[in-house]
Amino acid sequence: MAAGVATWLPFARAAAVGWLPLAKKIMPKPPVDKKSRNDEILFVNVSGLRFQTWKNTLDRYPDTLLGSSEKEFFYNEDTQEYFFDRDPEMFRHILNFYRTGKLHYPRQECIQAFDEELAFYGIVPDIIGDCCMEEYRDRKKENQERLAEDTEAEMATDTPLPPHSTHRERLWRAFENPHTSTMALVFYYVTGFFIAVSVIANVVETVPCRPLKGSKKDLPCGEKYSLAFFCMDTACVLIFTFEYLMRLFAAPSRCKFMRSVMSVIDVVAIMPYYIGLVMPENEDVSGAFVTLRVFRVFRIFKFSRHSQGLRILGYTLKSCASELGFLLFSLTMAIIIFATVMFYAEKGTKGTNFTSIPASFWYTIVTMTTLGYGDMVPNTIAGKIFGSICSLSGVLVIALPVPVIVSNFSRIYHQNQRADKMRAQQKVRLARIRLAKKGTTNAFLQYKEEGGFHIHNHLLHCLEKTTNHEFTDELTFSEMCMTESVGYRTSRSTSISSQQGELTSCCPRRAKRRAIRLANSTASVSRDSVQELDTLQVHKTSAGPQSRSSLNARTEDLKLNCEDRDFTAAIISIPTPPANTPDDSLPPSPAIPGILRNSRTSSYIHETVKISSL
Amino acid sequence: MGVVFGTFSMHTKQVTFRTDNVDDELEMTMVCHRPEGLEQLEAQTNFTKQELQVLYRGFKNECPSGVVNEETFKHIYAQFFPHGDASTYAHYLFNAFDTRNDGSIKFEDFVMGLSTLLRGTVREKLEWTFHLYDINRDGFINKEEMTEIVRAIYDMMGKYTYPALKGDVPKQHVDVFFEKMDKNKDGVVTLEEFVLACQEDENMMRSMQLFENVM
């Protein structure tokens, strides 16, 4: 937990004492503590309720209001406290976040109020702990949906038109919200009436009417009064066509409109008429023509524009598709099984109806749905036994899933949606939390006033000195692996041989590494003991200590950041006894042969460096 | 199409059963320990009351039950060294702090250790370090123990170092160390040899002074 890390810093430094006997070099000086680290208690007054807490507690999250210098704006000199004119109950939860590191969502509070408080105090809601996250998300989604519905309903009702709308926009609006103008309402009801008329006409024209004089056969009314029906049909289709064309003209996005369900229904409703017009009165094709007439019944679906309930039903069915599919699948399985069994059971009977397995499907379906028409009955004993099993299982197969589907529908549907969304959002959310955590840890480790960061940095330097190796990042490491053969030449000369590393790609301005060998006359020196100048590269990052931008902070390695514009590089050489020279027992003199300077700096400066740590 | 997919998705839903191991965790956290009084600790260590208070607050925050177990210890220490793997060295540190060898560090142990390391005499610090290196507590440091420690330290550096860790660098480091420390060349380092050799090493003494009195 980031909060506790600072307080364990003394422990980490104490543990560093264990490295000292092993250290190959002298430890670097620790940074000077500018201020004494006395902790103080802060008073926070939130609408009269006084809270007190350690300053350290608030400093744990420097990119929030209370952790940064932004709280100074709320400082009251007279009462020596920070005054916030906000909800004290909510503040309790906010303060607990600082104390425990976990943000909890209070269930009895309104989600919007909670969000507002979080936004005020600069806390990202993603940090809400897992215990409360689901509840929070549910409430938030609910709230958003409700708000969306409200705004939709609001927009649907009498909002005034924008002043300079074109005829097209007004027409579209009239079509979508018929309540806005009288003309639209009239048109709405007229179309509704004609849909009803058309449907009724379709139905009535098949009813048998009294036959014509002189003939015995009953005629369907459609043929008796064919002209009347034809006129009515024509009128309806004309109106529907007119309506469709108007909608098409007024639609803001024609492609989208043409792809929408309602427009498809419209087209399907009027197409048979035109096809019928075009086709000749031919006996051969009249059969197909009659089939097309069936599609006229789709006009009834045009009612869905007029009825909210139909739309909801359609949406329900569409969203329940997987459950219905499961029902269908299990039914199909059972049907196939029982049809096969019945077929083979009844195969021997003479004159049986079960002529093939597909023929047995009908029997199975009728039996399983407990219809039992009786047009196909088994005659053999085995057939009867299996028939009864079939009808019993039919009861189970059909009666069970249906209520389960109905009740599961909303539960599974919502659950599925939530699970999928959560899975998709999980990665993003985790990444954001990681970033937020890193940001807080980085910034926390910066320790702007107390210099605690510098101590941590110092600790890492000590480790480097102990092992005589330095931290680098992956990039330079791979570079070095590639160029190692070119790198080091060891010579026995006492002169300073300068060598240059081939690290060029990343930071062209990085100071080149030079190797200096101390005078050593006797033994051969392995590569490990080649004395190097330590290149301490400390980069000044762009984010100043006072900023609250740490949430967007890049996580960088200790050393290298090639994108920074200015950096300081100081090169200090520290002598070390060479590795395997048995007779060299003289302690090296702490001579500093030379300090190469970069043109920018002149001394070893501590700058704030971001360390990626969790 | 959606129907088909929906069908199959319903079939392949797996049901997982969660084993009930919450009870075990509850039991562990019931173990609670309170440290001795502030006065006593102040008398036993070289810290002032304020420093003890600050230390205890941090300690209690991280370990509300009053004891640190090895996992928490490793986790805390690992946060300081994000580049490499600090768990091995943390393990040895834990054993060094855990003077009663019962697998947990109480606040008293913690503070005693810190007092020795930060405020103790040079001799005390060196003794503590000797105990750290002497893994099996037999009073001698042999090469194997030292290699373990050095490897643990190099593990903390991580993989990306300059110069790259080639060959058996820890072993060479150990050889250097033994050259310096093992005066009578008997293959082991005793406490006296260790203390003597360290006191002769000026660099080390200077480095040790840098760790004086830090908090």
Side-chain angles (χ1 to χ4, degrees):
Chain A
M1 198 165 60
V5 162
T7 40
W8 290 72
L9 208 46
F11 153 69
R13 299 188 69 190
V17 170
W19 305 334
L20 291 182
L22 289 167
K24 289 189 173 174
K25 306 182 184 176
I26 297 187
M27 295 292 138
K29 273 215 189 69
V32 182
D33 262 344
K34 292 198 196 67
K35 270 196 204 163
S36 68
R37 313 224 281 126
N38 275 333
D39 211 354
E40 42 168 329
I41 292 189
L42 296 181
F43 297 95
V44 180
N45 185 343
V46 183
S47 303
L49 206 59
R50 269 186 115 217
F51 295 89
Q52 297 173 8
T53 180
W54 294 108
K55 189 166 182 301
N56 268 349
T57 311
L58 292 182
D59 282 343
R60 283 177 197 164
Y61 297 99
D63 40 282
T64 57
L65 186 153
L66 291 170
S68 69
S69 57
E70 193 181 337
K71 62 177 184 282
E72 304 300 327
F73 286 102
F74 298 91
Y75 190 68
N76 189 341
E77 294 288 348
D78 307 324
T79 51
Q80 298 271 308
E81 64 190 10
Y82 296 91
F83 181 74
F84 294 98
D85 197 9
R86 311 282 301 183
D87 190 354
E89 303 296 322
M90 295 285 204
F91 188 75
R92 199 168 60 80
H93 301 285
I94 306 276
L95 200 52
N96 276 338
F97 166 62
Y98 285 89
R99 291 184 182 134
T100 61
K102 280 204 274 256
L103 183 61
H104 292 280
Y105 167 58
R107 278 161 175 73
Q108 74 275 16
E109 302 285 349
C110 169
I111 184 82
Q112 261 195 313
F114 186 66
D115 269 345
E116 278 167 19
E117 293 296 310
L118 285 186
F120 178 79
Y121 291 106
I123 297 172
V124 180
D126 287 321
I127 307 185
I128 290 184
D130 285 332
C131 44
C132 299
M133 191 41 142
E134 199 178 325
E135 170 91 21
Y136 174 78
R137 273 206 190 279
D138 286 347
R139 291 275 291 264
K140 192 144 189 203
K141 200 166 67 158
E142 222 180 273
N143 203 30
Q144 275 174 352
E145 282 171 2
R146 202 175 311 139
L147 279 180
E149 274 174 27
D150 285 347
T151 47
E152 237 183 69
E154 226 183 75
M155 270 175 24
T157 55
D158 319 311
T159 46
L161 270 175
H164 304 290
S165 53
T166 63
H167 280 292
R168 194 172 147 188
E169 281 171 13
R170 269 192 284 196
L171 200 59
W172 179 249
R173 199 154 169 280
F175 273 126
E176 293 298 303
N177 310 321
H179 310 283
T180 44
S181 76
T182 334
M183 269 304 293
L185 210 55
V186 161
F187 189 70
Y188 175 77
Y189 282 127
V190 160
T191 34
F193 173 71
F194 271 99
I195 295 174
V197 158
S198 161
V199 169
I200 292 174
N202 281 345
V203 166
V204 166
E205 74 182 4
T206 59
V207 172
C209 292
R210 259 177 300 155
L212 296 166
K213 280 208 212 87
S215 130
K216 285 246 169 43
K217 203 169 64 159
D218 264 344
L219 269 181
C221 287
E223 285 177 29
K224 190 166 172 198
Y225 303 103
S226 60
L227 193 57
F229 278 107
F230 182 72
C231 290
M232 220 182 311
D233 204 21
T234 313
C236 294
V237 168
L238 275 177
I239 296 208
F240 297 153
T241 316
F242 173 70
E243 182 204 357
Y244 180 71
L245 288 174
M246 293 300 286
R247 275 185 203 262
L248 190 62
F249 166 69
S253 153
R254 297 218 171 106
C255 289
K256 201 171 103 178
F257 173 73
M258 288 186 69
R259 280 198 304 246
S260 72
V261 177
M262 291 309 304
S263 108
V264 166
I265 290 177
D266 288 339
V267 169
V268 167
I270 59 180
M271 269 337 249
Y273 177 79
Y274 289 110
I275 296 180
L277 274 187
V278 168
M279 265 204 300
E281 284 291 343
N282 201 343
E283 281 301 319
D284 296 332
V285 295
S286 68
F289 172 58
V290 162
T291 323
L292 270 179
R293 284 186 135 204
V294 167
F295 285 100
R296 290 190 302 171
V297 79
F298 275 90
R299 288 185 196 158
I300 206 168
F301 282 115
K302 285 171 70 74
F303 266 128
S304 56
R305 271 219 184 89
H306 300 257
S307 152
Q308 175 83 340
L310 267 183
R311 280 206 293 270
I312 289 179
L313 180 65
Y315 180 67
T316 302
L317 285 177
K318 191 172 71 168
S319 52
C320 196
S322 66
E323 280 75 25
L324 287 175
F326 172 66
L327 175 61
L328 216 59
F329 179 71
S330 61
L331 260 183
T332 313
M333 245 174 47
I335 287 173
I336 292 178
I337 291 175
F338 279 108
T340 312
V341 166
M342 289 308 294
F343 171 70
Y344 282 112
E346 289 287 310
K347 197 157 181 209
T349 318
K350 222 189 316 193
T352 185
N353 277 333
F354 295 83
T355 50
S356 67
I357 294 186
S360 310
F361 280 166
W362 175 243
Y363 168 77
T364 318
I365 292 175
V366 165
T367 314
M368 282 184 90
T369 52
T370 71
L371 277 174
Y373 288 133
D375 53 350
M376 283 165 85
V377 283
N379 286 323
T380 61
I381 296 185
K384 287 182 179 161
I385 292 176
F386 284 117
S388 38
I389 297 178
C390 175
S391 67
L392 284 175
S393 70
V395 169
L396 279 175
V397 170
I398 295 206
L400 275 184
V402 169
V404 172
I405 282 181
V406 168
S407 73
N408 269 0
F409 153 65
S410 57
R411 192 166 57 86
I412 294 179
Y413 171 69
H414 286 297
Q415 250 182 21
N416 264 347
Q417 279 217 330
R418 206 190 309 153
D420 288 336
K421 251 197 206 173
M422 239 174 45
R423 236 174 286 130
Q425 284 177 353
Q426 192 77 336
K427 270 188 188 169
V428 181
R429 179 174 155 240
L430 282 179
R432 274 211 288 212
I433 288 185
R434 223 176 290 132
L435 210 56
K437 266 194 189 158
K438 272 187 196 155
T440 54
T441 319
N442 287 345
F444 171 72
L445 289 176
Q446 273 182 17
Y447 250 132
K448 20 188 210 300
E449 292 116 64
E450 289 160 276
F453 166 74
H454 299 304
I455 298 177
H456 189 170
N457 196 10
H458 173 249
L459 212 54
L460 292 168
H461 282 328
C462 287
L463 186 58
E464 287 178 340
K465 292 287 176 292
T466 310
T467 56
N468 198 17
H469 286 71
E470 287 169 17
F471 291 109
T472 61
D473 65 356
E474 196 167 340
L475 195 58
T476 31
F477 184 70
S478 44
E479 281 171 19
M480 282 187 305
C481 286
M482 286 191 292
T483 63
E484 62 175 3
S485 55
V486 194
Y488 300 103
R489 289 175 293 256
T490 62
S491 68
R492 298 264 210 103
S493 68
T494 56
S495 63
I496 297 175
S497 60
S498 66
Q499 294 162 347
Q500 298 197 348
E502 304 265 321
L503 312 157
T504 50
S505 68
C506 189
C507 271
R509 289 187 297 170
R510 187 148 38 96
K512 303 201 175 74
R513 299 172 182 272
R514 293 163 188 270
I516 292 185
R517 276 202 59 233
L518 290 180
N520 185 356
S521 51
T522 51
S524 65
V525 182
S526 72
R527 195 173 355 130
D528 290 335
S529 70
V530 166
Q531 179 60 67
E532 286 175 334
L533 290 177
D534 286 329
T535 318
L536 294 167
Q537 294 169 333
V538 179
H539 297 263
K540 190 196 266 188
T541 57
S542 46
Q546 302 294 325
S547 75
R548 278 173 64 172
S549 61
S550 311
L551 274 183
N552 301 321
R554 293 168 296 178
T555 56
E556 296 155 7
D557 221 348
L558 169 64
K559 288 289 178 198
L560 302 165
N561 178 9
C562 305
E563 292 140 310
D564 276 352
R565 271 161 286 120
D566 49 9
F567 60 92
T568 64
I571 311 176
I572 304 174
S573 82
I574 300 178
T576 308
N580 39 8
T581 54
D583 50 351
D584 189 273
S585 56
L586 297 166
S589 57
I592 303 180
I595 299 182
L596 296 170
R597 286 161 205 240
N598 199 333
S599 57
R600 280 176 199 270
T601 79
S602 61
S603 57
Y604 179 64
I605 304 174
H606 272 289
E607 301 289 356
T608 57
V609 172
K610 288 203 163 108
I611 296 182
S612 63
S613 63
L614 268 176
Chain B
M1 188 58 101
V3 166
V4 174
F5 282 143
T7 310
F8 284 107
S9 75
M10 285 228 35
H11 278 296
T12 54
K13 261 205 180 73
Q14 301 232 353
V15 186
T16 54
F17 298 100
R18 258 195 342 190
T19 54
D20 206 328
N21 56 2
V22 185
D23 288 342
D24 299 338
E25 284 182 24
L26 277 178
E27 264 183 44
M28 269 180 23
T29 51
M30 286 306 155
V31 173
C32 199
H33 175 79
R34 294 206 174 79
E36 316 167 357
L38 199 49
E39 269 85 18
Q40 278 170 294
L41 276 181
E42 196 191 5
Q44 285 169 4
T45 65
N46 302 331
F47 289 121
T48 65
K49 267 210 186 122
Q50 274 83 3
E51 291 167 337
L52 283 174
Q53 281 177 342
V54 170
L55 281 174
Y56 188 67
R57 281 206 293 267
F59 187 85
K60 182 90 175 169
N61 227 353
E62 198 74 28
C63 322
S65 58
V67 293
V68 195
N69 58 3
E70 192 165 338
E71 277 311 308
T72 323
F73 195 85
K74 282 185 182 172
H75 172 71
I76 294 170
Y77 200 66
Q79 289 184 343
F80 289 98
F81 302 99
H83 299 273
D85 175 26
S87 55
T88 329
Y89 189 68
H91 168 75
Y92 296 128
L93 268 183
F94 184 83
N95 287 341
F97 271 95
D98 185 13
T99 44
R100 282 161 301 111
N101 282 330
D102 60 355
S104 67
I105 299 183
K106 300 206 288 253
F107 182 63
E108 290 95 332
D109 309 325
F110 178 67
V111 161
M112 302 281 213
L114 276 192
S115 164
T116 314
L117 286 170
L118 298 178
R119 303 276 166 91
T121 64
V122 171
R123 167 106 197 166
E124 287 172 354
K125 290 184 190 174
L126 290 175
E127 276 179 13
W128 194 93
T129 316
F130 185 83
H131 283 302
L132 173 68
Y133 293 160
D134 184 14
I135 299 176
N136 57 3
R137 307 261 185 264
D138 62 352
F140 302 105
I141 305 178
N142 51 14
K143 272 208 174 169
E144 285 75 29
E145 290 171 340
M146 212 51 227
T147 317
E148 296 267 319
I149 299 273
V150 172
R151 265 195 221 286
I153 293 182
Y154 274 91
D155 281 344
M156 281 199 286
M157 290 291 295
K159 200 168 111 180
Y160 304 118
T161 58
Y162 176 75
L165 290 167
K166 291 283 160 59
D168 204 358
V169 174
K171 192 162 181 317
Q172 287 160 355
H173 203 141
V174 171
D175 292 334
V176 174
F177 178 77
F178 260 79
E179 289 302 327
K180 206 163 53 158
M181 299 284 160
D182 193 6
K183 290 287 189 295
N184 57 0
K185 307 293 176 216
D186 58 353
V188 292
V189 181
T190 63
L191 179 59
E192 288 312 318
E193 284 178 341
F194 183 74
V195 171
L196 226 65
C198 286
Q199 279 171 337
E200 284 172 5
D201 185 352
E202 274 179 31
N203 281 346
M204 193 180 142
M205 288 300 114
R206 205 171 308 144
S207 301
M208 231 174 222
Q209 274 171 7
L210 293 176
F211 279 84
E212 273 304 296
N213 206 22
V214 291
M215 248 293 278

